[in-house]
Amino acid sequence: MKASYFCVILLLPFFLKLGSVTAGHAYCGPIPATDAELIHVAMNLEFLEAEFFLYGALGKGLDSVAPYLALGGPPPIGGKKANLDPLVQQIIEEFGYEEVGHLRAIYTTVGGIQRPLIDISAQKFAMIVDSALGQRLWPPFDPYLSSVNYLLASYLIPYVGLTGYVGTIPNLSNYTTKALVAGLLGVESGQDAVIRALLYERAHEKVVPYDVTVVEFTNLFSILRNKLGMCGIKDEGIIVPPVLGAEQRIETNVLSSNKASLSYPRTPQEVLRVVYGTGNEHVPGGYFPHGANGEVARRFLEKKA
């Protein structure tokens, strides 16, 4: 039998877990906010991506490229140069500069927010990976150790912003802000597609020194994000049962999309639940130890659930 058949059988538990993720008591609808306030939620993720990509490629972050965009916010925790092969090095450096452009575009269009405290340390990623796998890996997962580790860590970040932009656009009222977010979404989608394609090339390779393949990592990461978001399936790994694939005909899932092959949307509260790693937009953590900045994020933090 084909290896792909065994892969689908292997992924059936993944499918069942995804299907069991429901909204429960979590609110999944729109919230009252201005265009600028909605975009500022996303700006927190743009800071996260800029710092992670710049440090990974260059060993230095936003303060070395465009410090004024941070508006005096604290430097990130734990960023460092990653051990990348030449191809991935060039791609990640490009992504880093693109994120600087995104921050500048938001800053000049709707105004900026202060960079929040961001944790991109190896220890933080190890905690997130352990949570996804349901076990403590040894040695701890280090996103900066190799190209494949860095790509897996990157899988955790831009896609959340992508879905956030998809969920934001219908709630914007101004042409200028709609044009801004459409432009941001296009590049975020491209970044995510490149990351997923590079991982798909390595799908069945085991990530050294663990007995876990690349595809298994991506599926478990997606399960975790669906669980944290609490609003159903918004996230899928790079190989899925055909019932989740395009036209329910294929298990290849380089681009994550719904049954109509449209991008999944996330609301601001879903985005915050995921990046905080707490499943609660009122409780900070994860990449944002003190929470995200901007009016929407601060309102959630002030109003404890």
Side-chain angles (χ1 to χ4, degrees), residues 5-297:
Y5 173 81
F6 290 107
C7 181
V8 172
I9 296 299
L10 176 66
L11 288 170
L12 283 177
F14 158 68
F15 171 54
L16 294 174
K17 285 183 182 179
L18 278 178
S20 69
V21 176
T22 59
H25 299 295
Y27 179 63
C28 301
I31 59 171
T34 67
D35 287 9
E37 289 169 351
L38 291 172
I39 293 169
H40 284 158
V41 175
M43 195 173 193
N44 288 280
L45 274 71
E46 299 287 3
F47 277 122
L48 170 61
E49 293 170 37
E51 298 293 4
F52 185 59
F53 291 145
L54 288 172
Y55 268 101
L58 305 175
K60 52 189 177 181
L62 182 64
D63 289 338
S64 70
V65 180
Y68 73 94
L69 292 172
L71 292 181
I77 301 169
K80 64 179 183 180
K81 176 80 171 65
N83 181 27
L84 305 176
D85 64 59
L87 174 65
V88 176
Q89 164 75 32
Q90 287 296 112
I91 291 170
I92 298 303
E93 184 174 353
E94 176 188 336
F95 286 1
Y97 293 134
E98 288 168 351
E99 296 307 327
V100 175
H102 289 182
L103 289 168
R104 187 180 297 107
I106 294 172
Y107 178 89
T108 57
T109 305
V110 299
I113 56 172
Q114 188 178 70
R115 176 180 56 194
L117 181 64
I118 295 169
D119 190 345
I120 51 172
S121 66
Q123 293 78 10
K124 178 57 63 179
F125 278 97
M127 290 174 61
I128 294 168
V129 170
D130 287 352
S131 179
L133 270 64
Q135 61 177 305
R136 180 171 292 182
L137 292 180
W138 189 260
F141 182 87
D142 182 353
Y144 301 104
L145 181 66
S146 66
S147 289
V148 69
N149 282 29
Y150 193 86
L151 289 169
L152 283 168
S154 298
Y155 178 94
L156 289 166
I157 300 177
Y159 181 75
V160 181
L162 182 166
T163 55
Y165 282 137
V166 174
T168 295
I169 289 177
N171 297 302
L172 298 175
S173 59
N174 182 274
Y175 173 83
T176 301
T177 50
K178 287 180 181 178
L180 169 65
V181 175
L184 294 166
L185 173 59
V187 175
E188 292 291 325
S189 300
Q191 291 177 349
D192 184 64
V194 169
I195 291 165
R196 292 176 70 97
L198 290 171
L199 289 171
Y200 186 79
E201 276 192 309
R202 303 161 168 82
H204 300 293
E205 295 177 11
K206 288 187 177 180
V207 179
V208 178
Y210 314 113
D211 190 28
V212 184
T213 64
V214 168
V215 66
E216 289 168 337
F217 269 105
T218 67
N219 291 337
L220 291 168
F221 290 169
S222 288
I223 289 170
L224 175 64
R225 291 193 295 205
N226 284 319
K227 179 182 177 182
L228 292 172
M230 301 179 69
C231 292
I233 298 175
K234 303 289 180 79
D235 220 298
E236 300 166 347
I238 57 175
I239 295 178
V240 295
V243 69
L244 285 177
E247 293 299 295
Q248 300 185 342
R249 292 172 178 265
I250 191 166
E251 63 193 36
T252 301
N253 201 48
V254 175
L255 302 182
S256 180
S257 59
N258 66 15
K259 289 183 179 180
S261 290
L262 302 177
S263 293
Y264 290 106
R266 279 191 171 106
T267 61
Q269 58 270 33
E270 290 176 73
V271 168
L272 294 172
R273 290 168 197 157
V274 173
V275 297
Y276 287 173
T278 62
N280 188 332
E281 63 271 33
H282 306 281
V283 180
Y287 304 113
F288 298 94
H290 297 165
N293 281 339
E295 183 63 26
V296 169

